[in-house]
Amino acid sequence: MTADNTTVLGKAPAAFFSRRRRLNRNSLSSQILARFGSGILVLWAAVSLSFISLQLAPGDIVSLLIGEQLRTPEVEAAIRAEWGLDEPLLTQYFSYLSRILHGDFGRSYILQTDVSGLVLSQMLPTLKLTAAALAVAVVFAVASAVITAGKRLPRSIAGGIELILISTPTFWLGILLLFVFSFTLKLFPVSGDRDISALVLPALSLGLSLGAVIGQVLREGLERALEEPFALTVRSWGAGDIVLRLRHGLRHAALPAVTLTGWLIGNLLSGAVITEAVFGRPGLGRITVNAVLAHDLPVVLAVAVLSAFVYVVLSTLVDILYLLLDPRLRNDAREAGR
């Protein structure tokens, strides 16, 4: 074999693996784009459903949009012009889609204000609460699973605590936390959103029950992972039990828990409405309750569409996390596309 042949043979494996890496990157990119595409379709369906619900609601659309506001010819004319009610239904639909794409959710005739500005001003506190509750849920679930997996007594104790948290309504847990840590110990403020201390109890109230559900699934997955052959190999390298569980076991056990988290994200958004009311926090919960009680339909529709948007974004991120956690999903999708 000549030197030239040896050089060619040496370059062949490198070229093969380089091409395989490019295929993996292309496959991952295409799947991420597919997830975003499906998310856009879901969001379009949510916007279309809000329009259809408005059209099918009993009563006159003008009366629904006015709510409890005094009905005058001027207000009626403004609503008909704003919503294009004199136009054909298909024209109204595309006009509605165009307005939503431009962030225009109409006007609240009860509050006499722009709906988009009202809802967006209250979205940040709700997103802060949702993100903090999700962080609480993840930390609680990981700590519970890592500490108790495969250990009979700690597992039983953790299971009992998780069962209590799952069975306790969010508002009742919030009231209990307020009584202990705000009224009795005076460690946290009772209401408001002044600083990070005002976020602690609402996040615990909203996140602990979710963390209990995720923790049960994560513990079972971690126990199965610790029985796999790779666990014996890692132990033979001299790795400690905590290193095995955190660095190696969690990655194998995380996929079912991540899947469940994606399904439960909607619970965080709906639970935020009750939690904000219990703790007197600003946010979408308060304006949603007020809008429903006052029959302020433009605000209700705007909250519904924006909540769907947040849910779609978070669910899409969870779907992408699947692909990053488990390369087998990328490989299966690539094989299916051949």
Side-chain angles (χ1 to χ4, degrees), residues 141-159 162 215-227 235 241-242 244-246 249-250 253:
V142 171
S144 174
V146 169
I147 293 173
T148 64
K151 302 175 182 178
R152 180 173 299 179
L153 181 59
R155 191 186 196 283
S156 300
I157 295 174
E162 289 164 353
Q216 290 181 340
V217 176
L218 188 59
R219 183 185 301 109
E220 293 180 1
L222 186 56
E223 288 175 344
R224 288 194 299 268
L226 293 177
E227 296 175 356
R235 288 191 181 96
D241 187 58
I242 295 296
L244 170 62
R245 291 167 181 253
L246 286 175
L250 274 183

Side-chain angles (χ1 to χ4, degrees), residues 176-189 201 204:
L176 183 62
L177 291 174
L178 278 174
F179 176 77
V180 175
F181 295 101
S182 295
F183 298 137
T184 304
L185 300 178
K186 302 184 184 304
L187 296 177
F188 298 100
L201 295 185
L204 288 174

Side-chain angles (χ1 to χ4, degrees), residues 228-242:
E228 296 291 332
F230 80 87
L232 181 60
T233 303
V234 173
R235 288 191 181 96
S236 68
W237 294 343
D241 187 58
I242 295 296

